[in-house]
Amino acid sequence: MRVGAVNTNRKENTMRHSLTKTVTTCCFLLAAIVTCQAAEIPQNVLDMSLEVPQLQTEHLDRYADEHRDMNMNLGIERTSGGRLWATWISGGDDENGFLVLATSDDEGHSWSEPRLVIDPPDSAVGVARRVLIGNLWTDPLGRLWLFFDQAMGAYDARGGVWYTICENPDADWDGKAAPKWSTPVRLWHGSLLNKPMVASNGDWVIPLTLKHRGYLQYGLYFDPQKKLAARFPKEYWEQWLNLYHELDTDRGAYMMTSSDQGKTWERRGKVVFPHGGGDEHMIVEKKDGTFWMLARSTDGIQQSFSSDGGYTWSPSTRAWPHRTSRFYIGRLASGNLLLVRHGRLDETTATRCRMTAYISSDDGESWTDGFVIDEREGISYPDVFQHPDGRIFISYDRNRTTDAEILLAVVTEDDLVAGKNVSGKIRLRQVINRAKANENILYRRRNEATTAATIQEPLPDNDHKAVRTFQGIPSMTVAPKGTVWVTWYTGGNDEGADNYVLLARSRDGGTTFEDPELVIDQEGPVRCFDPSMWTDPDGKVWLFWTQSWFLCDTRMGVWGIYTENGDDERPVWSKPVRLTDGVMMNKPIADSKGRWILPVSAWYSGGELKAQDDSQQRLDARRKGASPERGFAAAQCVVSSDKGQSWELAGQANLPWNESCYFSTEHSILELKNGNLWNLIRTAHKAVSSRSDDGGKTWSEFTDVPFEHTSSRMFLGRLASGNILLVKNGPIDANTGRTSLYAFLSRDEGQTFEGPGLCLDERSGVSYPDGYQTTDGTIYVVYDRDRYQEGEILLARFTEDDVIKGEFTSENAKKLITVNKLTQ
């Protein structure tokens, strides 16, 4: 039996600009990954980035706000006639990116739908082509310039800065009189994000950068949400990472100039800034004629100076600490300098927050105290123009993939100097555009993440295996007559919105496994993950899983289905039911009172993290540590007294956020012989335990456990003998990381565990065990290995006596049984 298909509506619902992609491309990619044949990208495909991009000004309905789910700000400009133009990137800050322009004829109070889109079609061999990075500029002749870059993939080590010029940007939108753009011209390699400026000698100056080779890896490995292993086949990676070495000596941040009003351009000197960060540099001319170049880096804002017209530059130094993000610096009509950045001049903000504007009247030697334009998180990428009446217009973006807003602030120089509204002309947080595919994110979470996933059988013409580059986190159970069921989750390159659950079985006692026969998936950016299996006291086989908006929406929900005929050829599964908020990874138990108890995790209840899978934001949040307003992660005890018909929260053990392994507790609950409940919990550093003597309503303070362990899931279960089985990484007294997997016994209710234990797998990269004991005494333990390469789901079969002896000696004992692997 072949494996089923990923829900093909996922890309459509997340929109990107898949509207321009072809089924032929997808088929080619799947075939390329399955066959794993060495491949070379044809040169004519690589050179598609040199083809003149098409400017789309008609039939733009498919780019309307309701069809786009991402906005990243590029720039804003005013024409000589008073029209405002704004441009931004939609589709993605990656190989999906395309450029959008809109206009306002009432000084930014209202904005048009897209007026122009640049969205080049992809190649037919799976290498995407995108337009990303650019800006708008009204030159001294009144012409409106649009700069942008075009490249293959997220970055191809060459890129290319293009420009198109509109000589009638104030024309009406009626046929022949509409604004007309020139045929785009390729200026040179690289990219340009920030505005040109006019030097005191009349030269036009643009900041252009040819990024370093490290950006070639962007998208290939780092972003789990974008399926780039499928969009960009692995067979091409070696060639891709070695493209255009002949340009390596040219890489850096340049000053380019034109002395003939843009007819020709000269590339002058460059600066190779340390610490990376993309450069995104800006150039201003100081009053003494020195050029001052400032650039984004991972070590704040870097600076360099040139006293010979930009041909040579001083060694770079750090100008200010700053978050790794775009900033703005420019000369105002008053002669003062304007700086827009995140936070105070002496700080690196933890996130992209507190966009603040500063004025310098002494050419950058000192600055005002600052005026906060927008204090919220998720704001970034400011661009500025100054109105002839002196007002300052600042565009920026907010929460690119959720709120997806391009915003406008209008202030005056007097306001910025005073640090408050003294002009009465301030306008803040005005919306230029909002990509509405993700509008009202909480509503979408409620109606998508809380809508039942599709339970489907595999389709023979679409193979899940072709698009899997990550899998792990398994669970298992055994039906009453011996059918062994194993589940795990997979999909995409990592943990994120592309994840879905697979289910497979063995009919020969766990010796061989069939192809997965059930797929649990949900349309849209809804993640199905952390499955768990259990055979209840009545013999029903249960499959539980969690649904979340993107990686983690701070609520999630545990879902369940069951079958009463788990040993049949075609089991009949119940309809999916949402049982409770939270995440459940480890098995339920049935206690001595007949209650069913689910160990449900509440992942960080503070709600500060956004729904998108923004790895940098996650990292920043982790670094902040715990505080009362950030909430706790909780190891919950959720109970049913009616055999699963209804569920309620009995109580929970709270962990401070910075001790809870960031999101999870992955706890197991066991009933002790005295009737107390034992909660074994994973933390960021080790395992801890808590106990309840009132059925899970209240829990004791955390105590250490009688073994060492890494920050990873464990398995804890009661055996038929009354002893407790523990499966963990490494020897009982060692924290080995996710290396080696051992089984241990406790005969004294978890007070001690006997060594040396039974080694189930001595290799590295083994983790996340789950187990089950059948009535004949056979113990099964499933686990994963090397999630991102081999992607193995493995099974060990043994007995309690094998654990005592520390060897696989029983008749049917066997280790390293393959359930499934990515490469099979």
Side-chain angles (χ1 to χ4, degrees):
M1 182 180 295
R2 294 182 54 153
V3 188
V6 176
N7 194 313
T8 55
N9 289 328
R10 186 185 304 280
K11 287 184 181 178
E12 295 173 7
N13 288 346
T14 55
M15 265 309 293
R16 299 297 179 189
H17 70 308
S18 59
L19 295 162
T20 64
K21 314 303 176 190
T22 65
V23 174
T24 302
T25 300
C26 295
C27 293
F28 178 91
L29 290 175
L30 296 181
I33 294 173
V34 171
T35 57
C36 294
Q37 295 176 352
E40 183 171 327
I41 306 170
Q43 189 61 43
N44 67 325
V45 171
L46 294 174
D47 288 343
M48 287 177 68
S49 67
L50 306 180
E51 296 177 1
V52 177
Q54 298 299 307
L55 309 182
Q56 303 177 51
T57 57
E58 298 179 344
H59 310 297
L60 301 181
D61 291 348
R62 65 183 181 274
Y63 298 105
D65 297 347
E66 58 266 24
H67 297 316
R68 291 181 285 105
D69 67 351
M70 181 269 188
N71 276 344
M72 178 179 77
N73 187 56
L74 294 182
I76 188 168
E77 188 57 287
R78 182 184 184 273
T79 64
S80 57
R83 175 172 287 162
L84 304 191
W85 289 77
T87 184
W88 61 89
I89 290 297
S90 282
D93 185 12
D94 53 28
E95 87 293 345
N96 293 300
F98 58 94
L99 184 143
V100 180
L101 269 76
T103 61
S104 171
D105 289 324
D106 58 7
E107 296 200 326
H109 290 281
S110 63
W111 290 83
S112 70
E113 287 291 312
R115 297 289 196 186
L116 183 148
V117 171
I118 308 178
D119 182 14
D122 291 347
S123 73
V125 297
V127 182
R129 179 168 50 168
R130 57 80 175 155
V131 165
L132 199 68
I133 306 303
N135 212 319
L136 291 160
W137 181 55
T138 299
D139 70 22
L141 303 179
R143 301 176 300 177
L144 182 64
W145 292 62
L146 171 63
F147 296 93
F148 60 91
D149 80 334
Q150 179 177 244
M152 303 305 295
Y155 177 58
D156 60 12
R158 179 172 63 177
V161 176
W162 295 73
Y163 66 83
T164 175
I165 302 172
C166 182
E167 298 198 13
N168 64 335
D170 293 295
D172 294 332
W173 303 97
D174 54 355
K176 295 182 180 180
K180 290 182 173 57
W181 295 86
S182 65
T183 300
V185 174
R186 191 175 191 272
L187 185 59
W188 192 61
H189 313 312
S191 61
L192 180 156
L193 176 60
N194 292 307
K195 276 183 166 53
M197 51 87 68
V198 180
S200 57
N201 66 354
D203 285 352
W204 295 1
V205 175
I206 59 175
L208 181 150
T209 186
L210 181 57
K211 293 180 181 179
H212 62 77
R213 302 191 60 80
Y215 279 85
L216 279 165
Q217 299 185 44
Y218 176 68
L220 296 184
Y221 310 109
F222 295 158
D223 198 325
Q225 297 303 314
K226 296 167 186 165
K227 295 185 179 178
L228 292 183
R231 292 186 56 82
F232 195 98
K234 288 182 179 179
E235 296 89 298
Y236 295 150
W237 285 5
E238 181 176 357
Q239 179 200 6
W240 187 260
L241 294 174
N242 285 285
L243 289 175
Y244 309 122
H245 276 291
E246 66 273 18
L247 297 177
D248 288 353
T249 56
D250 293 328
R251 302 188 186 282
Y254 285 92
M255 172 173 160
M256 293 189 74
T257 63
S258 174
S259 300
D260 53 10
Q261 298 179 330
K263 295 177 183 178
T264 61
W265 294 87
E266 175 190 7
R267 178 163 48 95
R268 296 188 179 176
K270 68 175 181 180
V271 181
V272 179
F273 288 104
H275 312 296
D279 294 340
E280 298 180 358
H281 60 298
M282 301 198 71
I283 300 172
V284 294
E285 186 180 14
K286 296 176 77 73
K287 293 177 180 178
D288 64 1
T290 300
F291 286 103
W292 186 16
M293 183 187 293
L294 295 117
R296 163 186 172 176
S297 84
T298 57
D299 185 35
I301 297 175
Q302 299 287 314
Q303 64 182 351
S304 181
F305 300 90
S306 174
S307 58
D308 60 1
Y311 289 99
T312 62
W313 293 85
S314 66
S316 66
T317 59
R318 190 189 198 196
W320 299 285
H322 193 247
R323 174 155 193 83
T324 306
S325 186
R326 179 190 187 186
F327 58 92
Y328 174 88
I329 190 168
R331 183 79 64 184
L332 297 176
S334 65
N336 294 333
L337 290 176
L338 168 68
L339 173 67
V340 183
R341 53 159 290 160
H342 294 291
R344 301 188 312 272
L345 294 175
D346 62 351
E347 74 167 327
T348 301
T349 57
T351 61
R352 291 181 172 181
C353 64
R354 296 207 325 275
M355 187 169 289
T356 307
Y358 299 87
I359 297 292
S360 173
S361 59
D362 54 8
D363 233 18
E365 296 299 317
S366 63
W367 297 84
T368 57
D369 292 336
F371 180 96
V372 178
I373 301 297
D374 196 329
E375 75 281 1
R376 295 174 294 178
E377 296 197 1
I379 53 175
S380 63
Y381 271 46
D383 189 55
V384 175
F385 78 81
Q386 187 173 23
H387 194 282
D389 67 9
R391 286 178 297 160
I392 298 166
F393 286 64
I394 304 171
S395 67
Y396 59 99
D397 56 48
R398 175 173 176 263
N399 292 333
R400 295 173 181 174
T401 57
T402 52
D403 298 283
E405 290 179 324
I406 305 296
L407 298 175
L408 175 66
V410 181
V411 294
T412 71
E413 189 171 355
D414 288 341
D415 299 323
L416 302 186
V417 171
K420 59 183 178 179
N421 185 357
V422 296
S423 69
K425 300 177 181 179
I426 284 182
R427 291 154 47 193
L428 300 179
R429 300 186 184 182
Q430 183 170 339
V431 175
I432 294 175
N433 187 268
R434 179 183 293 114
K436 297 179 180 178
N438 285 339
E439 191 176 40
N440 195 350
I441 206 73
L442 292 177
Y443 178 83
R444 288 176 62 83
R445 288 182 195 168
R446 185 179 303 113
N447 287 275
E448 291 190 23
T450 60
T451 298
T454 301
I455 311 298
Q456 63 188 65
E457 294 184 4
L459 304 177
D461 57 342
N462 289 303
D463 194 342
H464 268 95
K465 290 186 291 187
V467 294
R468 283 189 279 150
T469 56
F470 156 89
Q471 68 176 14
I473 301 87
S475 181
M476 58 89 52
T477 195
V478 182
K481 295 181 181 179
T483 300
V484 179
W485 291 94
V486 174
T487 185
W488 65 96
Y489 75 85
T490 182
N493 299 329
D494 203 337
E495 301 177 54
D498 299 325
N499 295 150
Y500 53 88
V501 172
L502 294 180
L503 178 67
R505 62 175 156 177
S506 169
R507 305 172 199 259
D508 58 9
T511 299
T512 60
F513 281 82
E514 302 168 8
D515 284 340
E517 62 181 72
L518 205 65
V519 179
I520 300 176
D521 200 3
Q522 171 65 298
E523 295 183 4
V526 176
R527 179 186 183 205
C528 297
F529 66 107
D530 278 6
S532 182
M533 297 203 76
W534 183 53
T535 301
D536 73 25
D538 297 327
K540 295 177 183 177
V541 173
W542 287 77
L543 171 57
F544 305 93
W545 72 93
T546 300
Q547 286 180 204
S548 171
W549 182 268
F550 284 87
L551 177 78
C552 165
D553 62 20
T554 72
R555 179 179 63 169
M556 286 76 69
V558 178
W559 291 74
I561 58 175
Y562 66 85
T563 179
E564 296 183 358
N565 52 351
D567 291 291
D568 286 4
E569 174 70 23
R570 295 185 63 82
V572 177
W573 294 91
S574 65
K575 292 182 179 180
V577 175
R578 192 177 191 276
L579 307 180
T580 183
D581 291 346
V583 180
M584 189 186 81
M585 175 178 291
N586 291 311
K587 279 182 166 43
I589 65 168
D591 71 5
S592 57
K593 299 177 182 178
R595 302 183 308 164
W596 295 1
I597 298 176
L598 305 182
V600 176
S601 296
W603 282 7
Y604 168 54
S605 58
E608 181 176 331
L609 294 182
K610 304 300 180 185
Q612 73 270 28
D613 184 18
D614 185 328
S615 58
Q616 186 61 50
Q617 188 178 36
R618 290 168 55 201
L619 180 60
D620 291 334
R622 293 176 188 180
R623 289 171 175 166
K624 288 183 178 180
S627 60
E629 65 272 16
R630 293 181 59 80
F632 298 90
Q636 296 183 335
C637 177
V638 177
V639 174
S640 174
S641 299
D642 52 12
K643 297 186 176 182
Q645 297 182 48
S646 63
W647 299 87
E648 64 179 356
L649 175 64
Q652 63 188 38
N654 290 333
L655 281 80
W657 192 84
N658 63 337
E659 292 296 328
S660 62
C661 195
Y662 315 133
F663 292 122
S664 57
T665 60
E666 298 177 358
H667 58 296
S668 296
I669 296 177
L670 190 71
E671 185 180 23
L672 300 175
K673 292 179 179 178
N674 63 5
N676 292 345
L677 297 179
W678 182 25
N679 207 337
L680 180 63
I681 304 166
R682 168 190 176 181
T683 76
H685 312 290
K686 59 183 179 180
V688 298
S689 69
S690 179
R691 297 177 186 250
S692 173
D693 59 7
D694 57 6
K697 295 179 181 179
T698 60
W699 292 85
S700 67
E701 295 293 323
F702 296 115
T703 59
D704 289 336
V705 294
F707 57 85
E708 296 293 325
H709 196 244
T710 189
S711 180
S712 188
R713 174 193 187 184
M714 303 152 281
F715 172 75
L716 187 72
R718 177 80 66 182
L719 298 177
S721 66
N723 295 331
I724 295 173
L725 175 69
L726 171 70
V727 183
K728 64 173 286 287
N729 289 104
I732 200 67
D733 58 354
N735 181 344
T736 62
R738 295 184 179 184
T739 298
S740 68
L741 202 64
Y742 282 79
F744 301 95
L745 290 178
S746 174
R747 305 172 193 262
D748 56 7
E749 293 297 271
Q751 297 301 309
T752 60
F753 285 88
E754 302 171 2
L758 177 65
C759 183
L760 309 182
D761 196 326
E762 68 280 1
R763 296 174 295 177
S764 63
V766 291
S767 63
Y768 276 57
D770 184 53
Y772 186 86
Q773 186 183 35
T774 57
T775 54
D776 66 0
T778 301
I779 299 169
Y780 296 87
V781 170
V782 69
Y783 59 97
D784 60 38
R785 175 181 173 271
D786 193 12
R787 297 176 185 172
Y788 303 92
Q789 298 296 326
E790 295 295 320
E792 290 184 301
I793 308 298
L794 298 170
L795 187 75
R797 187 176 61 209
F798 53 94
T799 67
E800 186 173 356
D801 191 53
D802 295 328
V803 180
I804 295 171
K805 294 178 179 178
E807 297 180 6
F808 282 80
T809 60
S810 61
E811 182 179 357
N812 292 317
K814 189 175 182 180
K815 61 192 297 189
L816 305 181
I817 301 170
T818 298
V819 176
N820 191 273
K821 61 189 298 187
L822 291 176
T823 55
Q824 70 181 19

